[in-house]
Amino acid sequence: MEGSSDGNGVPSSNSFDKSRVLDVKPLRSLVPMLPDMPQGQSFICAPPFGPFPSGFSPFFPFSVQQGSQCAPETATPIRSSSTAVPHSAKKRVKRNRNVHSSPGFASGKGSTKDFKLGFSFAERDDGNKEVVENVRMRFDALRRRFSQLEDAKESSSGIIRRADLKAGNVLMSKGVRTNMKKRIGSVPGIEFGEIFFFRIELCVVGLHAQTMGGIDYVNVRGDLEQETLAVSIVSSGGYDDEAEEANVLIYSGQGGFKDKEAPDQKLERGNLALETSLHRGNEVRVIRGMKDAVSPKTKVYVYDGLYKTESSWMEKGKSGGSIFKYKLLRLPGQPDVFALWKSIEKWKEGLSLRPGLILPDLTSGAESMPVSLVNEIDDEKGPAYFTYFPTLKYSKSFKLLQPFFGCNCHTACGPGSTNCSCVQKNGGDFPYTANAVLVSRKSLIHECGLSCPCFPNCKNRVSQTGLKVRLEVFKTRDRGWGLQSWDPIRAGTFICEYAGEVIDKSNTRQDGEDGDNNDHVFDTSHTYQSFRWNFEPELMEEESPPAPIEEYDISSPLIISAKNIGNVARFMNHSCSPNVFWQPVIYEHNNESFLHIAFFAMRHIPPMTELTYDYGIARTDGESSSAPSGRKKCLCGSPKCRGYF
DNA sequence: GACGTTTCAACGGT
DNA sequence: CACCGTTGAAACGT
């Protein structure tokens, strides 16, 4: 293991050694080490990882880094609300005040616990990126928690049927929402292409205020009288809209949605608003409801951008009555959103349609799903040589652990498996929701292992059952190779584990830097930026146990080298504002426990967005030089960039 | 203001 | 999976 690897995944200087870059062939011959099982069943000559004695301290400080400095936000209230303030503004203000004193909750016992709103009251009317992010994170954390309770059916006061609505209701009644003031055009803090998984999620950030309605509108003072203008529409397949061309949308008016014999639609409400918008020529936000490729029975809502209504007409609907039709044209100069989604659909049908494709599957079948290799930037033909291997390789030099006892479940373990001993190790709550989304970060997650008889339908094996999203390794503009996804990813989704060779630190040189850089090395002993991801128990109505502690809790440092052997994780770049985080997971293999590093989505990630995590900062060991010799200049570009990592 | 109406949800069952 | 029934809650309008 000599030699510097290239700068993959590392915004290092341009110490890129082209001579080591291999062309296509070696990569193609990256044969998985395991003949059959992608999971590497019993073949890994895998002496165990060291024991995990208790009695150690958390290995990084929990500094609170709450956003005191507002990101310089260039909010673009395209046509600011001077005209668009609803006449009901007074009502709103009043409602705000009510919310402020939260009368509905003050009476409930144990619910008067204070929680931090986290932003100003003004920011509830007009948001910005930071507040939007804050609200979205808190919404989904709460939603996941309610979902967990729903799955387990352990909610003591009435069952939760709709975790999304429940979470939305709690946040709205507490005033944890933003962009309440309706506006025409862009919404501050929400970018084109952002994705949402529930309609109520659009409401809490102010992108579309109707919980179900497809047309949102606002009252404005017109030339002579009040008129209503459409501000946003959701095109979701409920009616037969036409969405063939990427920049044209034929949208059906509202009325008679579910009726078998629909009467004629009337020119009122949303229909009237769209009609007025046609004459006034105002911008209308368009949100497209798409089928989720990862779980096809759910929907993804994509903020496609601003449109203008070009024309309208009436036609006979299928169920008898006549319906309104509106033709909307996408404004030029906006990033392609819907068009990109359409392209990805085509790439999936024929991989060769992907521009810049070098390899259809750089894993050579080692993963459950292909991972394409793409370069649209220059003529480099691929990353430096390495051997693709989908999981960890433990070297021989580790001591044996004490014997491991798996569960004895003979049905698939899942959210209701309170008797499963593996589940019990997680502290009572099943760590994942029914659709395999991680509920909370934890010091350690216990999954079922090889000798547990519950295989293969067990739901407690999320991080060991292969890739779930369609990934792609691509050439970035200035940071070597990177990782991104063709599929939209919802927060809490498992992305991949960090595969590679486990390094025995006692064997490793103490000197650290003998020309060896830390490219393609994962090290739990780095100092990581802390962040809050879990739900806030104080937002739950009834007394709720505290959220799991989000500090990692690893007895001895785990160092994984992916220089020579690794998987897709080795291509993930660093960011100081990452969208992915790592989570220790432990499960059994040949009667011994092994620690793994699993990556989960921190937030919803739109397709073709680079996946990044915090590499952390190597600890400078006391006496050694104070210069940050092992550190690299960071090119993540985030406003919160620390400058190096 | 309270209440009824409207609404391109979300789920689970078949 | 496609349809279908059930449950559901914010905003709007009366």
Side-chain angles (χ1 to χ4, degrees):
Chain A
M1 48 186 78
E2 50 76 44
S4 54
S5 70
D6 69 86
N8 276 341
V10 183
S12 66
S13 54
N14 264 341
S15 61
F16 195 93
D17 187 353
K18 300 261 185 197
S19 67
R20 291 187 58 88
V21 174
L22 295 186
D23 56 4
V24 167
K25 192 190 161 239
L27 262 178
R28 199 189 296 276
S29 65
L30 300 179
V31 183
M33 302 299 268
L34 300 183
D36 44 12
M37 322 238 116
Q39 260 33 271
Q41 299 261 4
S42 46
F43 299 98
I44 306 181
C45 43
F49 185 67
F52 301 100
S54 51
F56 38 76
S57 51
F59 62 84
F60 69 90
F62 236 69
S63 66
V64 180
Q65 52 105 8
Q66 192 35 44
S68 47
Q69 63 226 21
C70 276
E73 179 55 38
T74 49
T76 50
I78 286 209
R79 193 170 302 180
S80 104
S81 41
S82 55
T83 58
V85 175
H87 72 102
S88 56
K90 273 189 230 157
K91 208 197 275 179
R92 256 171 236 293
V93 170
K94 205 179 220 171
R95 206 177 292 157
N96 284 0
R97 220 176 347 220
N98 286 346
V99 162
H100 180 27
S101 56
S102 56
F105 284 84
S107 52
K109 76 153 192 105
S111 59
T112 51
K113 278 183 297 184
D114 211 12
F115 71 100
K116 285 218 181 79
L117 184 56
F119 47 86
S120 72
F121 295 112
E123 286 172 318
R124 207 152 52 191
D125 281 340
D126 304 287
N128 57 56
K129 194 161 186 170
E130 198 170 341
V131 174
V132 167
E133 184 59 26
N134 178 305
V135 172
R136 296 193 69 180
M137 294 286 284
R138 293 163 86 176
F139 167 81
D140 205 62
L142 201 57
R143 201 212 101 245
R144 292 190 307 267
R145 172 58 174 168
F146 282 131
S147 201
Q148 181 180 54
L149 293 173
E150 175 187 10
D151 290 346
K153 304 209 169 17
E154 69 182 29
S155 163
S156 49
S157 75
I159 52 172
I160 301 159
R161 289 193 188 84
R162 287 284 299 274
D164 58 324
L165 295 182
K166 182 80 181 161
N169 176 275
V170 169
L171 289 194
M172 284 182 157
S173 63
K174 297 267 191 187
V176 183
R177 59 186 302 185
T178 186
N179 288 315
M180 273 182 82
K181 193 161 76 187
K182 284 197 185 182
R183 72 202 68 219
I184 292 167
S186 292
V187 180
I190 307 182
E191 287 169 20
F192 302 139
E194 286 196 35
I195 57 173
F196 305 82
F197 288 85
F198 297 93
R199 284 291 300 267
I200 198 75
E201 219 178 339
L202 304 173
C203 301
V204 294
V205 296
L207 186 59
H208 186 89
Q210 305 290 328
T211 49
M212 293 181 70
I215 307 168
D216 193 16
Y217 49 93
V218 67
N219 286 313
V220 298
R221 205 186 313 280
D223 295 336
L224 295 170
E225 59 204 357
Q226 288 266 331
E227 54 188 26
T228 63
L229 295 179
V231 294
S232 61
I233 59 176
V234 177
S235 174
S236 189
Y239 297 84
D240 42 344
D241 301 339
E242 292 163 41
E244 296 309 316
E245 288 179 71
N247 294 326
V248 182
L249 174 63
I250 311 292
Y251 192 78
S252 303
Q254 60 189 190
F257 174 42
K258 280 192 249 183
D259 302 0
K260 287 184 184 105
E261 292 183 20
D264 290 349
Q265 290 185 345
K266 292 179 192 146
L267 193 60
E268 57 184 21
R269 304 169 195 275
N271 298 343
L272 179 58
L274 272 174
E275 191 68 33
T276 314
S277 288
L278 166 63
H279 296 118
R280 291 285 174 263
N282 69 287
E283 297 158 338
V284 177
R285 299 185 294 271
V286 169
I287 298 115
R288 307 242 193 185
M290 314 287 287
K291 207 178 249 181
D292 184 1
V294 182
S295 53
K297 57 184 175 186
T298 63
K299 270 179 184 164
V300 194
Y301 297 95
V302 189
Y303 179 26
D304 187 27
L306 303 177
Y307 285 64
K308 277 189 182 176
T309 317
E310 189 218 53
S311 58
S312 69
W313 65 93
M314 292 194 83
E315 60 185 51
K316 274 285 181 227
K318 282 176 187 161
S319 45
S322 51
I323 55 176
F324 286 96
K325 290 281 186 176
Y326 299 92
K327 182 177 185 183
L328 293 103
L329 298 180
R330 194 163 191 270
L331 297 183
Q334 305 178 88
D336 286 340
V337 174
F338 188 64
L340 177 63
W341 285 64
K342 285 291 184 190
S343 299
I344 293 170
E345 279 176 18
K346 294 207 179 85
W347 302 343
K348 287 190 173 180
E349 288 164 12
L351 287 182
S352 59
L353 297 174
R354 172 75 175 106
L357 185 79
I358 298 170
L359 274 179
D361 179 17
L362 68 82
T363 80
S364 304
E367 299 281 7
S368 52
M369 213 179 281
V371 176
S372 42
L373 177 66
V374 169
N375 185 350
E376 292 182 283
I377 300 295
D378 53 33
D379 56 2
E380 192 185 344
K381 287 293 184 249
Y385 177 81
F386 73 102
T387 301
Y388 198 96
F389 186 72
T391 185
L392 283 185
K393 272 176 98 77
Y394 282 85
S395 62
K396 299 190 187 110
S397 54
F398 282 82
K399 285 172 281 183
L400 287 172
L401 269 184
Q402 58 268 49
F404 178 93
F405 298 103
C407 69
N408 202 21
C409 304
H410 288 282
T411 55
C413 308
S417 310
T418 45
N419 289 330
C420 170
S421 61
C422 297
V423 173
Q424 283 167 357
K425 287 177 198 153
N426 288 301
D429 287 322
F430 195 76
Y432 305 106
T433 63
N435 54 357
V437 166
L438 182 69
V439 175
S440 298
R441 295 169 72 209
K442 290 181 154 199
S443 51
L444 187 58
I445 285 178
H446 298 264
E447 292 193 349
C448 289
L450 183 61
S451 71
C452 300
C454 48
F455 205 73
N457 293 325
C458 168
K459 302 271 193 197
N460 193 25
R461 299 168 183 267
V462 168
S463 77
Q464 29 175 326
T465 42
L467 304 182
K468 302 291 190 301
V469 296
R470 181 63 169 81
L471 297 173
E472 171 177 287
V473 172
F474 73 109
K475 185 74 187 285
T476 66
R477 208 160 286 284
D478 58 356
R479 301 195 287 159
W481 298 87
L483 187 66
Q484 61 188 5
S485 167
W486 288 9
D487 294 326
I489 303 174
R490 71 162 86 183
T493 300
F494 169 72
I495 292 173
C496 63
E497 85 163 291
Y498 198 100
E501 297 172 286
V502 174
I503 305 296
D504 185 349
K505 201 171 189 182
S506 57
N507 283 354
T508 328
R509 66 280 152 178
Q510 196 70 304
D511 46 345
E513 59 248 38
D514 42 330
D516 232 335
N517 58 30
N518 285 327
D519 292 354
H520 304 309
V521 171
F522 184 92
D523 189 341
T524 60
S525 70
H526 285 186
T527 303
Y528 292 91
Q529 191 83 12
S530 72
F531 65 97
R532 170 109 196 203
W533 195 72
N534 294 350
F535 66 95
E536 300 156 279
E538 56 271 35
L539 283 176
M540 317 282 289
E541 284 153 11
E542 46 193 282
E543 217 49 56
S544 175
I549 293 170
E550 301 191 39
E551 291 172 57
Y552 300 121
D553 181 6
I554 297 169
S555 54
S556 56
L558 176 64
I559 304 173
I560 306 166
S561 169
K563 285 177 186 172
N564 305 313
I565 295 172
N567 70 345
V568 289
R570 73 197 291 282
F571 294 107
M572 237 190 307
N573 280 317
H574 164 85
S575 172
C576 301
S577 298
N579 51 21
V580 173
F581 63 86
W582 58 277
Q583 165 70 55
V585 178
I586 198 163
Y587 49 89
E588 164 274 347
H589 184 94
N590 291 347
N591 292 325
E592 296 152 25
S593 292
F594 293 96
L595 188 64
H596 297 256
I597 300 301
F599 289 99
F600 292 89
M602 190 182 291
R603 61 193 82 183
H604 303 330
I605 306 173
M608 310 305 280
T609 304
E610 183 171 8
L611 307 178
T612 55
Y613 71 99
D614 178 8
Y615 281 13
I617 295 170
R619 289 178 157 187
T620 46
D621 284 332
E623 17 119 15
S624 71
S625 66
S626 59
S629 56
R631 297 177 178 178
K632 291 181 166 48
K633 185 163 182 265
C634 183
L635 301 173
C636 78
S638 155
K640 293 179 182 168
C641 181
R642 304 192 291 268
Y644 60 89
F645 61 89

